[in-house]
Amino acid sequence: VNYFPATIELSTAALIFSLAIGLPAGIISAIKRNKLSDHIVRVFSISGLSMPVFWLGLMLLYLLYFKIELLPGPGRLDSAISAPACFTGLYTIDSLIQGDLTAFINAVRHLTMPAFVLGFGAAGTIARITRASMLEVMRQEYVKTARAKGLKEHVVILRHILRNSLITPITVIGMIYGGLLEGAVLTETIFSWPGLGRYATGSFLFLDFQAVMGVTLFIAVIYSVANLIVDIAYAYLDPRVRI
């Protein structure tokens, strides 16, 4: 009860970041294929996939917290700020419900670094998958027909190319979110984030078999729900699935 809301807050923020960066990067990379922007996106994607999470987290803590003091350090809130009353367990939501803007801003600042670290690799994956899927759709005959009919380029990209190429990225996004909700052990450890990953690791170390079985079953349910949401999204994106 106490650990899962922290993981939901962190993983949802990480997913929002990865979508905000990965999807536009993948779209630009596909549209500007083999141009400078495409090469930049590919370097970004490879960096996100290959950069160790623990190294990135430690470097950000050293630079942004220790050296220039731009962002706060580990934890969900500063020690001088009281946690908001628990309605959802998500500090950002609970502080807004109470109208405590100080706690909200502080919670968002604490959330920024771990969400970036957790979402950086996912953003690279989403960018690569989106690029590959869009390039495949761009070769289809109906895209050539849409351009031949004189449709504006942004209409062709958004309505005919992007929507029809989202099936594969949606699948990957669903699996990424399920994986994030498992609890990112390294990220939660580096940033002292009291989430499900740290709880599971502690259970393993102390041989708490009931907790281990509970976490394993819970993760299985999470993946099942993530796959269900992905299947529902299929029907919305592709009318052929509804048929």
Side-chain angles (χ1 to χ4, degrees), residues 141-161:
E141 292 297 327
Y142 62 82
V143 175
K144 299 177 183 177
T145 302
R147 286 196 172 105
K149 288 166 62 178
L151 292 178
K152 294 182 179 180
E153 186 64 18
H154 73 273
V155 175
V156 175
I157 292 171
L158 295 177
R159 186 178 299 174
H160 294 277
I161 298 176

Side-chain angles (χ1 to χ4, degrees), residues 111-125:
L111 192 59
T112 301
M113 267 200 292
F116 176 83
V117 171
L118 197 56
F120 186 63
T125 302

Side-chain angles (χ1 to χ4, degrees), residues 93-154:
I93 303 298
D94 290 343
S95 58
L96 282 178
I97 292 175
Q98 291 184 242
D100 189 349
L101 290 180
T102 302
F104 172 75
I105 293 172
N106 192 261
V108 170
R109 283 168 54 80
H110 275 270
L111 192 59
T112 301
M113 267 200 292
F116 176 83
V117 171
L118 197 56
F120 186 63
T125 302
I126 292 171
R128 287 177 64 87
I129 295 295
T130 303
R131 177 185 185 275
S133 185
M134 285 190 65
L135 288 176
E136 183 178 352
V137 171
M138 288 170 73
R139 293 192 290 265
Q140 301 298 319
E141 292 297 327
Y142 62 82
V143 175
K144 299 177 183 177
T145 302
R147 286 196 172 105
K149 288 166 62 178
L151 292 178
K152 294 182 179 180
E153 186 64 18
H154 73 273

Side-chain angles (χ1 to χ4, degrees), residues 165-188:
S165 64
L166 279 179
I167 293 294
T168 304
I170 285 292
T171 305
V172 174
I173 290 167
M175 298 307 296
I176 286 173
Y177 192 51
L180 292 176
L181 287 176
E182 286 182 34
V185 177
L186 289 174
T187 304
E188 291 181 355

